[in-house]
Amino acid sequence: IDFDLILEKVKDLNVLAGEGISQIEHTPGGARLRQPEPLSLTLYQNGIVMFNGPFRPYEDPATQQCLQDIMDGYFPSELQLRYPDGV
């Protein structure tokens, strides 16, 4: 696993998703600026943890697909239904 490449690609995806850019959230009394909630991704020597979910070993095909999406510069396909506008 090329951790440096994964971190570089995650940073690139964060920029594309608008990292640091506030969004307007309408409230009953007007509106306020809101930062999108980040998604936690923890990399370990033998696997990953996304959100606060279960440990996912690198040998798991779903984990491999997720990391391949990231390394190819794409938002992970497994997250597209949950976050249609990115995260």
Side-chain angles (χ1 to χ4, degrees), residues 56-87:
R56 298 168 52 177
Y58 291 127
E59 293 80 22
D60 183 335
T63 303
Q64 290 176 7
Q65 181 61 53
C66 177
L67 292 176
Q68 190 61 54
D69 286 346
I70 292 170
M71 289 189 290
D72 289 343
Y74 296 111
F75 184 66
S77 56
E78 71 182 69
L79 300 175
Q80 290 175 356
L81 288 177
R82 186 171 182 172
Y83 299 100
D85 297 324
V87 62

PDB file of all heavy atoms in Angstrom, residues 56-87:
ATOM      1  N   ARG A  56     -11.513  -2.715   8.344  1.00  0.00           N
ATOM      2  CA  ARG A  56     -11.611  -3.351   7.029  1.00  0.00           C
ATOM      3  C   ARG A  56     -10.209  -3.706   6.531  1.00  0.00           C
ATOM      4  O   ARG A  56      -9.423  -2.813   6.221  1.00  0.00           O
ATOM      5  CB  ARG A  56     -12.288  -2.390   6.054  1.00  0.00           C
ATOM      6  CG  ARG A  56     -13.702  -2.053   6.477  1.00  0.00           C
ATOM      7  CD  ARG A  56     -14.286  -0.910   5.710  1.00  0.00           C
ATOM      8  NE  ARG A  56     -14.180  -1.094   4.266  1.00  0.00           N
ATOM      9  CZ  ARG A  56     -14.662  -0.251   3.375  1.00  0.00           C
ATOM     10  NH1 ARG A  56     -15.279   0.846   3.760  1.00  0.00           N
ATOM     11  NH2 ARG A  56     -14.520  -0.480   2.087  1.00  0.00           N
ATOM     12  N   PRO A  57      -9.874  -4.995   6.482  1.00  0.00           N
ATOM     13  CA  PRO A  57      -8.532  -5.380   6.036  1.00  0.00           C
ATOM     14  C   PRO A  57      -8.334  -5.065   4.550  1.00  0.00           C
ATOM     15  O   PRO A  57      -9.289  -5.036   3.769  1.00  0.00           O
ATOM     16  CB  PRO A  57      -8.477  -6.888   6.296  1.00  0.00           C
ATOM     17  CG  PRO A  57      -9.894  -7.326   6.363  1.00  0.00           C
ATOM     18  CD  PRO A  57     -10.697  -6.149   6.826  1.00  0.00           C
ATOM     19  N   TYR A  58      -7.095  -4.824   4.174  1.00  0.00           N
ATOM     20  CA  TYR A  58      -6.776  -4.523   2.780  1.00  0.00           C
ATOM     21  C   TYR A  58      -7.124  -5.665   1.836  1.00  0.00           C
ATOM     22  O   TYR A  58      -7.367  -5.446   0.659  1.00  0.00           O
ATOM     23  CB  TYR A  58      -5.297  -4.160   2.630  1.00  0.00           C
ATOM     24  CG  TYR A  58      -4.935  -2.839   3.261  1.00  0.00           C
ATOM     25  CD1 TYR A  58      -3.890  -2.744   4.167  1.00  0.00           C
ATOM     26  CD2 TYR A  58      -5.643  -1.680   2.963  1.00  0.00           C
ATOM     27  CE1 TYR A  58      -3.552  -1.532   4.748  1.00  0.00           C
ATOM     28  CE2 TYR A  58      -5.317  -0.461   3.535  1.00  0.00           C
ATOM     29  CZ  TYR A  58      -4.265  -0.402   4.430  1.00  0.00           C
ATOM     30  OH  TYR A  58      -3.940   0.802   5.006  1.00  0.00           O
ATOM     31  N   GLU A  59      -7.180  -6.885   2.345  1.00  0.00           N
ATOM     32  CA  GLU A  59      -7.492  -8.036   1.503  1.00  0.00           C
ATOM     33  C   GLU A  59      -8.971  -8.076   1.100  1.00  0.00           C
ATOM     34  O   GLU A  59      -9.334  -8.765   0.149  1.00  0.00           O
ATOM     35  CB  GLU A  59      -7.138  -9.351   2.215  1.00  0.00           C
ATOM     36  CG  GLU A  59      -5.659  -9.552   2.438  1.00  0.00           C
ATOM     37  CD  GLU A  59      -5.125  -8.777   3.645  1.00  0.00           C
ATOM     38  OE1 GLU A  59      -5.915  -8.414   4.545  1.00  0.00           O
ATOM     39  OE2 GLU A  59      -3.912  -8.511   3.666  1.00  0.00           O
ATOM     40  N   ASP A  60      -9.829  -7.354   1.802  1.00  0.00           N
ATOM     41  CA  ASP A  60     -11.258  -7.319   1.507  1.00  0.00           C
ATOM     42  C   ASP A  60     -11.464  -6.636   0.152  1.00  0.00           C
ATOM     43  O   ASP A  60     -10.974  -5.532  -0.074  1.00  0.00           O
ATOM     44  CB  ASP A  60     -11.968  -6.536   2.611  1.00  0.00           C
ATOM     45  CG  ASP A  60     -13.474  -6.488   2.441  1.00  0.00           C
ATOM     46  OD1 ASP A  60     -13.968  -6.615   1.313  1.00  0.00           O
ATOM     47  OD2 ASP A  60     -14.161  -6.309   3.459  1.00  0.00           O
ATOM     48  N   PRO A  61     -12.191  -7.279  -0.786  1.00  0.00           N
ATOM     49  CA  PRO A  61     -12.415  -6.679  -2.109  1.00  0.00           C
ATOM     50  C   PRO A  61     -13.071  -5.295  -2.056  1.00  0.00           C
ATOM     51  O   PRO A  61     -12.731  -4.414  -2.849  1.00  0.00           O
ATOM     52  CB  PRO A  61     -13.317  -7.680  -2.821  1.00  0.00           C
ATOM     53  CG  PRO A  61     -13.032  -8.988  -2.153  1.00  0.00           C
ATOM     54  CD  PRO A  61     -12.741  -8.636  -0.718  1.00  0.00           C
ATOM     55  N   ALA A  62     -13.978  -5.071  -1.119  1.00  0.00           N
ATOM     56  CA  ALA A  62     -14.624  -3.756  -1.004  1.00  0.00           C
ATOM     57  C   ALA A  62     -13.616  -2.688  -0.572  1.00  0.00           C
ATOM     58  O   ALA A  62     -13.669  -1.550  -1.050  1.00  0.00           O
ATOM     59  CB  ALA A  62     -15.788  -3.816  -0.022  1.00  0.00           C
ATOM     60  N   THR A  63     -12.691  -3.050   0.307  1.00  0.00           N
ATOM     61  CA  THR A  63     -11.646  -2.125   0.732  1.00  0.00           C
ATOM     62  C   THR A  63     -10.717  -1.821  -0.432  1.00  0.00           C
ATOM     63  O   THR A  63     -10.342  -0.665  -0.657  1.00  0.00           O
ATOM     64  CB  THR A  63     -10.840  -2.713   1.904  1.00  0.00           C
ATOM     65  OG1 THR A  63     -11.733  -3.023   2.972  1.00  0.00           O
ATOM     66  CG2 THR A  63      -9.774  -1.748   2.394  1.00  0.00           C
ATOM     67  N   GLN A  64     -10.365  -2.847  -1.186  1.00  0.00           N
ATOM     68  CA  GLN A  64      -9.503  -2.652  -2.349  1.00  0.00           C
ATOM     69  C   GLN A  64     -10.157  -1.731  -3.371  1.00  0.00           C
ATOM     70  O   GLN A  64      -9.499  -0.850  -3.937  1.00  0.00           O
ATOM     71  CB  GLN A  64      -9.159  -4.001  -2.991  1.00  0.00           C
ATOM     72  CG  GLN A  64      -8.247  -4.846  -2.151  1.00  0.00           C
ATOM     73  CD  GLN A  64      -7.984  -6.215  -2.761  1.00  0.00           C
ATOM     74  OE1 GLN A  64      -8.387  -6.510  -3.885  1.00  0.00           O
ATOM     75  NE2 GLN A  64      -7.289  -7.066  -2.010  1.00  0.00           N
ATOM     76  N   GLN A  65     -11.463  -1.889  -3.589  1.00  0.00           N
ATOM     77  CA  GLN A  65     -12.172  -1.037  -4.545  1.00  0.00           C
ATOM     78  C   GLN A  65     -12.216   0.404  -4.054  1.00  0.00           C
ATOM     79  O   GLN A  65     -12.004   1.334  -4.826  1.00  0.00           O
ATOM     80  CB  GLN A  65     -13.594  -1.551  -4.790  1.00  0.00           C
ATOM     81  CG  GLN A  65     -14.381  -0.726  -5.799  1.00  0.00           C
ATOM     82  CD  GLN A  65     -13.731  -0.723  -7.172  1.00  0.00           C
ATOM     83  OE1 GLN A  65     -13.453  -1.785  -7.716  1.00  0.00           O
ATOM     84  NE2 GLN A  65     -13.489   0.453  -7.720  1.00  0.00           N
ATOM     85  N   CYS A  66     -12.462   0.587  -2.781  1.00  0.00           N
ATOM     86  CA  CYS A  66     -12.501   1.923  -2.188  1.00  0.00           C
ATOM     87  C   CYS A  66     -11.156   2.624  -2.381  1.00  0.00           C
ATOM     88  O   CYS A  66     -11.098   3.773  -2.839  1.00  0.00           O
ATOM     89  CB  CYS A  66     -12.856   1.831  -0.712  1.00  0.00           C
ATOM     90  SG  CYS A  66     -12.861   3.415   0.153  1.00  0.00           S
ATOM     91  N   LEU A  67     -10.075   1.956  -2.041  1.00  0.00           N
ATOM     92  CA  LEU A  67      -8.749   2.549  -2.168  1.00  0.00           C
ATOM     93  C   LEU A  67      -8.364   2.754  -3.624  1.00  0.00           C
ATOM     94  O   LEU A  67      -7.711   3.745  -3.965  1.00  0.00           O
ATOM     95  CB  LEU A  67      -7.717   1.692  -1.444  1.00  0.00           C
ATOM     96  CG  LEU A  67      -7.853   1.668   0.078  1.00  0.00           C
ATOM     97  CD1 LEU A  67      -6.838   0.723   0.697  1.00  0.00           C
ATOM     98  CD2 LEU A  67      -7.707   3.064   0.655  1.00  0.00           C
ATOM     99  N   GLN A  68      -8.794   1.855  -4.495  1.00  0.00           N
ATOM    100  CA  GLN A  68      -8.502   2.024  -5.920  1.00  0.00           C
ATOM    101  C   GLN A  68      -9.216   3.255  -6.465  1.00  0.00           C
ATOM    102  O   GLN A  68      -8.644   4.023  -7.239  1.00  0.00           O
ATOM    103  CB  GLN A  68      -8.907   0.782  -6.718  1.00  0.00           C
ATOM    104  CG  GLN A  68      -8.418   0.809  -8.150  1.00  0.00           C
ATOM    105  CD  GLN A  68      -6.899   0.859  -8.244  1.00  0.00           C
ATOM    106  OE1 GLN A  68      -6.210   0.021  -7.661  1.00  0.00           O
ATOM    107  NE2 GLN A  68      -6.371   1.829  -8.957  1.00  0.00           N
ATOM    108  N   ASP A  69     -10.463   3.460  -6.048  1.00  0.00           N
ATOM    109  CA  ASP A  69     -11.195   4.666  -6.449  1.00  0.00           C
ATOM    110  C   ASP A  69     -10.420   5.913  -6.027  1.00  0.00           C
ATOM    111  O   ASP A  69     -10.245   6.843  -6.817  1.00  0.00           O
ATOM    112  CB  ASP A  69     -12.594   4.697  -5.827  1.00  0.00           C
ATOM    113  CG  ASP A  69     -13.569   3.721  -6.459  1.00  0.00           C
ATOM    114  OD1 ASP A  69     -13.276   3.185  -7.549  1.00  0.00           O
ATOM    115  OD2 ASP A  69     -14.638   3.490  -5.846  1.00  0.00           O
ATOM    116  N   ILE A  70      -9.957   5.934  -4.788  1.00  0.00           N
ATOM    117  CA  ILE A  70      -9.209   7.082  -4.273  1.00  0.00           C
ATOM    118  C   ILE A  70      -7.923   7.276  -5.060  1.00  0.00           C
ATOM    119  O   ILE A  70      -7.601   8.385  -5.486  1.00  0.00           O
ATOM    120  CB  ILE A  70      -8.921   6.921  -2.769  1.00  0.00           C
ATOM    121  CG1 ILE A  70     -10.221   7.019  -1.965  1.00  0.00           C
ATOM    122  CG2 ILE A  70      -7.902   7.963  -2.288  1.00  0.00           C
ATOM    123  CD1 ILE A  70     -10.082   6.648  -0.501  1.00  0.00           C
ATOM    124  N   MET A  71      -7.172   6.198  -5.282  1.00  0.00           N
ATOM    125  CA  MET A  71      -5.902   6.307  -5.991  1.00  0.00           C
ATOM    126  C   MET A  71      -6.095   6.704  -7.455  1.00  0.00           C
ATOM    127  O   MET A  71      -5.205   7.297  -8.058  1.00  0.00           O
ATOM    128  CB  MET A  71      -5.097   5.012  -5.858  1.00  0.00           C
ATOM    129  CG  MET A  71      -4.570   4.827  -4.443  1.00  0.00           C
ATOM    130  SD  MET A  71      -3.404   3.471  -4.246  1.00  0.00           S
ATOM    131  CE  MET A  71      -4.450   2.060  -4.450  1.00  0.00           C
ATOM    132  N   ASP A  72      -7.259   6.398  -8.019  1.00  0.00           N
ATOM    133  CA  ASP A  72      -7.560   6.809  -9.392  1.00  0.00           C
ATOM    134  C   ASP A  72      -8.083   8.242  -9.451  1.00  0.00           C
ATOM    135  O   ASP A  72      -8.388   8.750 -10.519  1.00  0.00           O
ATOM    136  CB  ASP A  72      -8.584   5.868 -10.024  1.00  0.00           C
ATOM    137  CG  ASP A  72      -8.002   4.490 -10.334  1.00  0.00           C
ATOM    138  OD1 ASP A  72      -6.765   4.344 -10.372  1.00  0.00           O
ATOM    139  OD2 ASP A  72      -8.807   3.556 -10.550  1.00  0.00           O
ATOM    140  N   GLY A  73      -8.233   8.875  -8.266  1.00  0.00           N
ATOM    141  CA  GLY A  73      -8.683  10.254  -8.218  1.00  0.00           C
ATOM    142  C   GLY A  73     -10.187  10.420  -8.184  1.00  0.00           C
ATOM    143  O   GLY A  73     -10.706  11.496  -8.462  1.00  0.00           O
ATOM    144  N   TYR A  74     -10.892   9.340  -7.834  1.00  0.00           N
ATOM    145  CA  TYR A  74     -12.352   9.383  -7.797  1.00  0.00           C
ATOM    146  C   TYR A  74     -12.863   9.318  -6.359  1.00  0.00           C
ATOM    147  O   TYR A  74     -12.239   8.700  -5.499  1.00  0.00           O
ATOM    148  CB  TYR A  74     -12.960   8.209  -8.573  1.00  0.00           C
ATOM    149  CG  TYR A  74     -12.645   8.237 -10.036  1.00  0.00           C
ATOM    150  CD1 TYR A  74     -11.798   7.284 -10.588  1.00  0.00           C
ATOM    151  CD2 TYR A  74     -13.184   9.206 -10.870  1.00  0.00           C
ATOM    152  CE1 TYR A  74     -11.495   7.304 -11.941  1.00  0.00           C
ATOM    153  CE2 TYR A  74     -12.892   9.234 -12.215  1.00  0.00           C
ATOM    154  CZ  TYR A  74     -12.047   8.282 -12.742  1.00  0.00           C
ATOM    155  OH  TYR A  74     -11.746   8.304 -14.068  1.00  0.00           O
ATOM    156  N   PHE A  75     -14.021   9.932  -6.156  1.00  0.00           N
ATOM    157  CA  PHE A  75     -14.736   9.796  -4.898  1.00  0.00           C
ATOM    158  C   PHE A  75     -15.142   8.326  -4.786  1.00  0.00           C
ATOM    159  O   PHE A  75     -15.658   7.758  -5.747  1.00  0.00           O
ATOM    160  CB  PHE A  75     -15.963  10.713  -4.949  1.00  0.00           C
ATOM    161  CG  PHE A  75     -16.759  10.768  -3.694  1.00  0.00           C
ATOM    162  CD1 PHE A  75     -16.232  11.311  -2.541  1.00  0.00           C
ATOM    163  CD2 PHE A  75     -18.052  10.306  -3.677  1.00  0.00           C
ATOM    164  CE1 PHE A  75     -16.979  11.384  -1.378  1.00  0.00           C
ATOM    165  CE2 PHE A  75     -18.814  10.376  -2.524  1.00  0.00           C
ATOM    166  CZ  PHE A  75     -18.269  10.909  -1.376  1.00  0.00           C
ATOM    167  N   PRO A  76     -14.900   7.654  -3.662  1.00  0.00           N
ATOM    168  CA  PRO A  76     -15.210   6.223  -3.556  1.00  0.00           C
ATOM    169  C   PRO A  76     -16.664   5.914  -3.922  1.00  0.00           C
ATOM    170  O   PRO A  76     -17.597   6.524  -3.396  1.00  0.00           O
ATOM    171  CB  PRO A  76     -14.927   5.894  -2.092  1.00  0.00           C
ATOM    172  CG  PRO A  76     -13.901   6.901  -1.691  1.00  0.00           C
ATOM    173  CD  PRO A  76     -14.277   8.158  -2.433  1.00  0.00           C
ATOM    174  N   SER A  77     -16.835   4.977  -4.828  1.00  0.00           N
ATOM    175  CA  SER A  77     -18.173   4.645  -5.330  1.00  0.00           C
ATOM    176  C   SER A  77     -19.098   4.175  -4.212  1.00  0.00           C
ATOM    177  O   SER A  77     -20.299   4.433  -4.261  1.00  0.00           O
ATOM    178  CB  SER A  77     -18.088   3.590  -6.434  1.00  0.00           C
ATOM    179  OG  SER A  77     -17.405   2.444  -5.985  1.00  0.00           O
ATOM    180  N   GLU A  78     -18.565   3.555  -3.183  1.00  0.00           N
ATOM    181  CA  GLU A  78     -19.411   3.075  -2.091  1.00  0.00           C
ATOM    182  C   GLU A  78     -20.041   4.215  -1.289  1.00  0.00           C
ATOM    183  O   GLU A  78     -21.006   4.010  -0.570  1.00  0.00           O
ATOM    184  CB  GLU A  78     -18.635   2.146  -1.160  1.00  0.00           C
ATOM    185  CG  GLU A  78     -17.593   2.851  -0.321  1.00  0.00           C
ATOM    186  CD  GLU A  78     -16.795   1.896   0.551  1.00  0.00           C
ATOM    187  OE1 GLU A  78     -16.008   1.119   0.003  1.00  0.00           O
ATOM    188  OE2 GLU A  78     -16.987   1.943   1.770  1.00  0.00           O
ATOM    189  N   LEU A  79     -19.512   5.424  -1.428  1.00  0.00           N
ATOM    190  CA  LEU A  79     -20.039   6.568  -0.691  1.00  0.00           C
ATOM    191  C   LEU A  79     -20.975   7.444  -1.527  1.00  0.00           C
ATOM    192  O   LEU A  79     -21.580   8.371  -1.002  1.00  0.00           O
ATOM    193  CB  LEU A  79     -18.885   7.437  -0.184  1.00  0.00           C
ATOM    194  CG  LEU A  79     -17.895   6.756   0.746  1.00  0.00           C
ATOM    195  CD1 LEU A  79     -16.748   7.696   1.075  1.00  0.00           C
ATOM    196  CD2 LEU A  79     -18.590   6.281   2.004  1.00  0.00           C
ATOM    197  N   GLN A  80     -21.111   7.156  -2.801  1.00  0.00           N
ATOM    198  CA  GLN A  80     -21.863   8.043  -3.678  1.00  0.00           C
ATOM    199  C   GLN A  80     -23.354   8.101  -3.369  1.00  0.00           C
ATOM    200  O   GLN A  80     -23.962   9.151  -3.536  1.00  0.00           O
ATOM    201  CB  GLN A  80     -21.610   7.674  -5.130  1.00  0.00           C
ATOM    202  CG  GLN A  80     -20.195   8.029  -5.542  1.00  0.00           C
ATOM    203  CD  GLN A  80     -19.831   7.579  -6.933  1.00  0.00           C
ATOM    204  OE1 GLN A  80     -20.614   6.918  -7.603  1.00  0.00           O
ATOM    205  NE2 GLN A  80     -18.638   7.931  -7.365  1.00  0.00           N
ATOM    206  N   LEU A  81     -23.949   7.021  -2.924  1.00  0.00           N
ATOM    207  CA  LEU A  81     -25.365   7.071  -2.558  1.00  0.00           C
ATOM    208  C   LEU A  81     -25.573   7.864  -1.272  1.00  0.00           C
ATOM    209  O   LEU A  81     -26.523   8.635  -1.148  1.00  0.00           O
ATOM    210  CB  LEU A  81     -25.942   5.666  -2.396  1.00  0.00           C
ATOM    211  CG  LEU A  81     -26.157   4.875  -3.683  1.00  0.00           C
ATOM    212  CD1 LEU A  81     -26.653   3.471  -3.368  1.00  0.00           C
ATOM    213  CD2 LEU A  81     -27.143   5.590  -4.598  1.00  0.00           C
ATOM    214  N   ARG A  82     -24.679   7.682  -0.334  1.00  0.00           N
ATOM    215  CA  ARG A  82     -24.799   8.370   0.959  1.00  0.00           C
ATOM    216  C   ARG A  82     -24.455   9.865   0.843  1.00  0.00           C
ATOM    217  O   ARG A  82     -25.028  10.696   1.543  1.00  0.00           O
ATOM    218  CB  ARG A  82     -23.869   7.703   1.960  1.00  0.00           C
ATOM    219  CG  ARG A  82     -24.016   8.227   3.361  1.00  0.00           C
ATOM    220  CD  ARG A  82     -23.236   7.380   4.330  1.00  0.00           C
ATOM    221  NE  ARG A  82     -23.414   7.850   5.687  1.00  0.00           N
ATOM    222  CZ  ARG A  82     -22.982   7.227   6.738  1.00  0.00           C
ATOM    223  NH1 ARG A  82     -22.349   6.090   6.620  1.00  0.00           N
ATOM    224  NH2 ARG A  82     -23.186   7.720   7.935  1.00  0.00           N
ATOM    225  N   TYR A  83     -23.504  10.190  -0.022  1.00  0.00           N
ATOM    226  CA  TYR A  83     -23.056  11.566  -0.223  1.00  0.00           C
ATOM    227  C   TYR A  83     -23.082  11.900  -1.717  1.00  0.00           C
ATOM    228  O   TYR A  83     -22.031  11.948  -2.363  1.00  0.00           O
ATOM    229  CB  TYR A  83     -21.636  11.765   0.313  1.00  0.00           C
ATOM    230  CG  TYR A  83     -21.485  11.507   1.782  1.00  0.00           C
ATOM    231  CD1 TYR A  83     -20.969  10.309   2.254  1.00  0.00           C
ATOM    232  CD2 TYR A  83     -21.856  12.485   2.712  1.00  0.00           C
ATOM    233  CE1 TYR A  83     -20.835  10.089   3.622  1.00  0.00           C
ATOM    234  CE2 TYR A  83     -21.706  12.269   4.067  1.00  0.00           C
ATOM    235  CZ  TYR A  83     -21.192  11.062   4.518  1.00  0.00           C
ATOM    236  OH  TYR A  83     -21.042  10.850   5.856  1.00  0.00           O
ATOM    237  N   PRO A  84     -24.244  12.144  -2.292  1.00  0.00           N
ATOM    238  CA  PRO A  84     -24.313  12.398  -3.733  1.00  0.00           C
ATOM    239  C   PRO A  84     -23.565  13.651  -4.192  1.00  0.00           C
ATOM    240  O   PRO A  84     -23.133  13.747  -5.330  1.00  0.00           O
ATOM    241  CB  PRO A  84     -25.808  12.528  -4.019  1.00  0.00           C
ATOM    242  CG  PRO A  84     -26.435  12.790  -2.702  1.00  0.00           C
ATOM    243  CD  PRO A  84     -25.539  12.199  -1.657  1.00  0.00           C
ATOM    244  N   ASP A  85     -23.340  14.613  -3.283  1.00  0.00           N
ATOM    245  CA  ASP A  85     -22.619  15.830  -3.617  1.00  0.00           C
ATOM    246  C   ASP A  85     -21.179  15.800  -3.144  1.00  0.00           C
ATOM    247  O   ASP A  85     -20.497  16.815  -3.148  1.00  0.00           O
ATOM    248  CB  ASP A  85     -23.326  17.051  -3.005  1.00  0.00           C
ATOM    249  CG  ASP A  85     -24.724  17.236  -3.559  1.00  0.00           C
ATOM    250  OD1 ASP A  85     -24.927  16.966  -4.768  1.00  0.00           O
ATOM    251  OD2 ASP A  85     -25.612  17.640  -2.784  1.00  0.00           O
ATOM    252  N   GLY A  86     -20.703  14.650  -2.705  1.00  0.00           N
ATOM    253  CA  GLY A  86     -19.357  14.535  -2.170  1.00  0.00           C
ATOM    254  C   GLY A  86     -19.348  14.822  -0.679  1.00  0.00           C
ATOM    255  O   GLY A  86     -20.364  15.099  -0.074  1.00  0.00           O
ATOM    256  N   VAL A  87     -18.168  14.732  -0.101  1.00  0.00           N
ATOM    257  CA  VAL A  87     -18.016  14.972   1.332  1.00  0.00           C
ATOM    258  C   VAL A  87     -16.635  15.543   1.595  1.00  0.00           C
ATOM    259  O   VAL A  87     -15.716  15.298   0.870  1.00  0.00           O
ATOM    260  CB  VAL A  87     -18.247  13.680   2.152  1.00  0.00           C
ATOM    261  CG1 VAL A  87     -17.221  12.628   1.791  1.00  0.00           C
ATOM    262  CG2 VAL A  87     -18.248  13.916   3.632  1.00  0.00           C
TER     263      VAL A  87
END
